[in-house]
Amino acid sequence: MNKDQFLNTGLLEQYALGLTDENENLEVEKYLNAFPELKKEVDEIRNAVEQYAIQQAIPPHPRVKANIMAGIDELQGSKPSGGRAGSSNNWMKALLILGFAGIFGLLFLYTQKNAQNQDLKREFAELQIACDQQNERIQANQLEFLFMKHRYTQKVILASSNPSSHTKAVAFWNPNEKKGLVSLGSLPELPEDQQYQIWADVDHVMISVGLLENDYDGLQDIAYLAEAESLNITIEPLGGSTAPTVEKLVVSGLL
Amino acid sequence: MNSTDLVNGLKNGDKKIIDLLYDQYAGALYGIIIKIVKNEELAEDVLQDSFIKIWKNGPKFNASKGSLFTWMLNISRNTAIDKTRSSHYRQLESKQKIDFQITNHLNWSYTPKTEHIGLNKVVNGLDDKYREIIDLIYFQGFTQQEVHEHLNIPLGTVKSRLRIGLRELRTFFSVQRVSIIVLLIGLLG
């Protein structure tokens, strides 16, 4: 019998409705195993007729339930698997469950505490790093401050050659310490593919003394050249140039 | 409580499970029993006997062979059919011609559960020719052959009507489920 022939027997519906005998059950189950989609159909039929039956429910008189419960109570004494025999067993089960629950509870608390501990350690390490960084920054600031206050430190204002422009940068230059610092001051922000570069004029030759970071407000180190006569900042492609782009000179100042 | 808990409880003869099953299904089973025995008092007896059997036979229930409801329905239906074969039932039947009308017999009102109010209309829309066959076979335990003899319609027609009727029920209840889900999503969203 193929699938369609089988479906035509009407056995599948009888089976889904629970109206087949043992032999018929075996027959139907053979087809269910061969065609899993029929299994789904059986489940759907069962669900649908169940809903259908529930929909047509009529509530029985409450005495019926009371009678049933009383009937079961009466029979329970004679039923070996029910009631008292199981009760000590149930106690044991309850105790076991409680025991396991306790162990799992402790285990849970332990892992939680452990995780908390790890978190605290991580947080502490992070704070320590932050603290070290702050210290370094303070030290650097102190050094900068001392450097600026140094009696040989010369403050150089770098200004635009265009008198209408108020753009300015500032440099600190110290021949004694052989050290130079520069701040971008009010120089405009540059697009990402460009960068300020600072040049020292030595005997009319421009020598690069540093590439400046775009968005850094603080003081940046530049190279110190004893023979430098002036400092000049130009706009160059990101990464800097070997020779200054003179037409992109922004500010300059004499030393 | 999920269906596995229910089945396990049933297997262990747990009385609480009978309580739950009763609340859930007694109305549906009673509605079917009354269609078979056509007498309230007898239907109550049958429902009572059926639930005691359900409790006693709980350990024999095999979930792989069918749904819990189908199993309970089988027990109830067989108990009801047995009742109609008893001498007591025959006496009763011969003494008074039973002109059975559920609504006239019930002295407490039947209020459908709210979730079913909307369904009523649609399932009532199930064509009578399908509904009659589903009721005879599913609720009253007729074989297809018996329906063929009882209604005097060809056996092939009985089979195809049962098949179509069940398909309509399936479609209806699966659409119902989808629309409830859509409604829920709508409410939550």
Side-chain angles (χ1 to χ4, degrees):
Chain A
M1 220 178 354
N2 67 25
K3 186 180 155 191
D4 285 334
Q5 285 168 328
F6 166 69
L7 286 179
N8 281 333
T9 61
L11 260 184
L12 187 75
E13 285 81 7
Q14 292 286 108
Y15 174 82
L17 300 180
L19 295 164
T20 39
D21 61 34
E22 276 301 313
N23 287 334
E24 289 168 328
N25 285 347
L26 290 175
E27 173 81 5
V28 175
E29 276 151 18
K30 224 166 57 191
Y31 283 89
L32 293 186
N33 288 329
F35 307 102
E37 69 273 18
L38 295 182
K39 228 179 168 89
K40 190 171 163 254
E41 191 170 331
V42 166
D43 287 341
E44 282 177 8
I45 292 176
R46 282 179 179 155
N47 177 57
V49 289
E50 179 175 332
Q51 300 293 324
Y52 181 55
I54 288 172
Q55 192 213 344
Q56 299 181 39
I58 297 169
H61 194 285
R63 67 177 159 250
V64 182
K65 186 175 181 183
N67 286 345
I68 291 169
M69 291 309 172
I72 289 177
D73 279 342
E74 220 170 277
L75 288 167
Q76 209 147 27
S78 60
K79 197 179 178 188
S81 69
R84 267 158 265 150
S87 80
S88 71
N89 222 343
N90 284 344
W91 272 109
M92 286 299 287
K93 272 188 205 162
L95 276 175
L96 264 177
I97 289 168
L98 267 177
F100 276 118
I103 290 167
F104 279 117
L106 283 174
L107 215 65
F108 175 71
L109 274 178
Y110 173 75
T111 45
Q112 224 185 14
K113 283 276 166 213
N114 216 4
Q116 263 177 6
N117 225 347
Q118 293 290 340
D119 281 347
L120 283 175
K121 272 185 189 166
R122 203 172 313 123
E123 232 172 283
F124 181 72
E126 280 167 12
L127 282 173
Q128 210 161 30
I129 290 169
C131 194
D132 288 348
Q133 283 173 342
Q134 283 288 358
N135 272 341
E136 274 173 32
R137 217 165 297 150
I138 289 169
Q139 270 181 345
N141 282 342
Q142 272 176 337
L143 286 176
E144 276 173 7
F145 181 73
L146 287 174
F147 176 76
M148 289 192 295
K149 284 278 164 200
H150 195 281
R151 58 184 165 144
Y152 290 111
T153 297
Q154 179 192 355
K155 184 179 175 187
V156 186
I157 301 292
L158 309 183
S160 171
S161 57
N162 178 356
S164 67
S165 167
H166 296 294
T167 307
K168 281 189 176 72
V170 61
F172 297 91
W173 198 251
N174 188 321
N176 191 265
E177 297 276 313
K178 300 191 190 329
K179 187 176 163 70
L181 289 177
V182 67
S183 159
L184 289 180
S186 63
L187 295 191
E189 269 185 47
L190 289 180
E192 278 183 19
D193 58 341
Q194 295 181 340
Q195 193 170 12
Y196 288 114
Q197 191 166 4
I198 184 160
W199 310 83
D201 177 0
V202 180
D203 260 349
H204 305 297
V205 179
M206 290 291 190
I207 299 170
S208 175
V209 288
L211 272 171
L212 303 177
E213 280 181 51
N214 270 347
D215 47 3
Y216 184 68
D217 288 337
L219 291 163
Q220 306 191 39
D221 274 312
I222 54 176
Y224 175 82
L225 290 176
E227 304 84 11
E229 290 156 19
S230 69
L231 292 173
N232 310 274
I233 296 179
T234 59
I235 299 172
E236 303 294 340
L238 191 68
S241 306
T242 45
T245 312
V246 181
E247 57 274 22
K248 288 280 180 69
L249 177 70
V250 195
V251 287
S252 56
L254 291 171
L255 292 169
Chain B
M1 176 170 291
N2 60 34
S3 58
T4 321
D5 294 334
L6 266 180
V7 171
N8 286 340
L10 190 63
K11 283 189 185 301
N12 294 332
D14 191 342
K15 191 181 150 196
K16 278 200 307 258
I17 300 298
I18 296 298
D19 199 314
L20 282 172
L21 289 177
Y22 187 92
D23 290 344
Q24 182 83 16
Y25 295 118
L29 296 174
Y30 186 67
I32 291 164
I33 292 167
I34 217 165
K35 279 184 187 174
I36 302 173
V37 301
K38 300 181 174 66
N39 174 294
E40 263 177 61
E41 199 186 327
L42 285 181
E44 283 184 11
D45 283 352
V46 170
L47 185 64
Q48 195 173 315
D49 293 350
S50 303
F51 265 93
I52 298 284
K53 283 183 191 169
I54 287 165
W55 176 70
K56 276 187 177 166
N57 291 312
K60 290 186 202 157
F61 172 69
N62 182 347
S64 67
K65 298 262 175 195
S67 74
L68 188 52
F69 180 74
T70 308
W71 179 74
M72 290 170 68
L73 171 58
N74 273 343
I75 290 178
S76 307
R77 188 169 47 213
N78 290 338
T79 310
I81 292 170
D82 283 350
K83 196 68 141 188
T84 62
R85 288 177 188 150
S86 70
S87 54
H88 175 62
Y89 185 82
R90 295 213 175 117
Q91 272 174 3
L92 197 79
E93 206 176 27
S94 61
K95 265 186 204 156
Q96 51 180 62
K97 183 82 186 151
I98 303 171
D99 181 19
F100 183 70
Q101 289 265 313
I102 290 178
T103 42
N104 291 351
H105 276 241
L106 295 177
N107 48 9
W108 57 94
S109 64
Y110 165 50
T111 358
K113 291 180 181 170
T114 25
E115 69 256 38
H116 296 135
I117 289 174
L119 306 190
N120 240 331
K121 205 172 72 192
V122 189
V123 172
N124 283 343
L126 185 67
D127 199 315
D128 278 347
K129 66 184 178 206
Y130 302 134
R131 181 214 287 274
E132 183 176 41
I133 286 177
I134 290 176
D135 285 2
L136 283 175
I137 292 178
Y138 182 53
F139 291 155
Q140 308 205 32
F142 278 51
T143 62
Q144 297 178 2
Q145 179 69 30
E146 283 165 346
V147 174
H148 149 68
E149 287 161 11
H150 186 73
L151 297 179
N152 200 21
I153 48 176
L155 186 57
T157 311
V158 173
K159 286 179 181 173
S160 62
R161 283 187 186 170
L162 176 63
R163 196 163 168 71
I164 295 169
L166 289 176
R167 196 198 304 144
E168 298 226 325
L169 274 188
R170 266 162 65 200
T171 314
F172 168 68
F173 283 107
S174 63
V175 166
Q176 188 68 26
R177 230 177 310 166
V178 170
S179 62
I180 288 172
I181 291 166
V182 169
L183 180 72
L184 278 177
I185 291 170
L187 284 176
L188 294 173

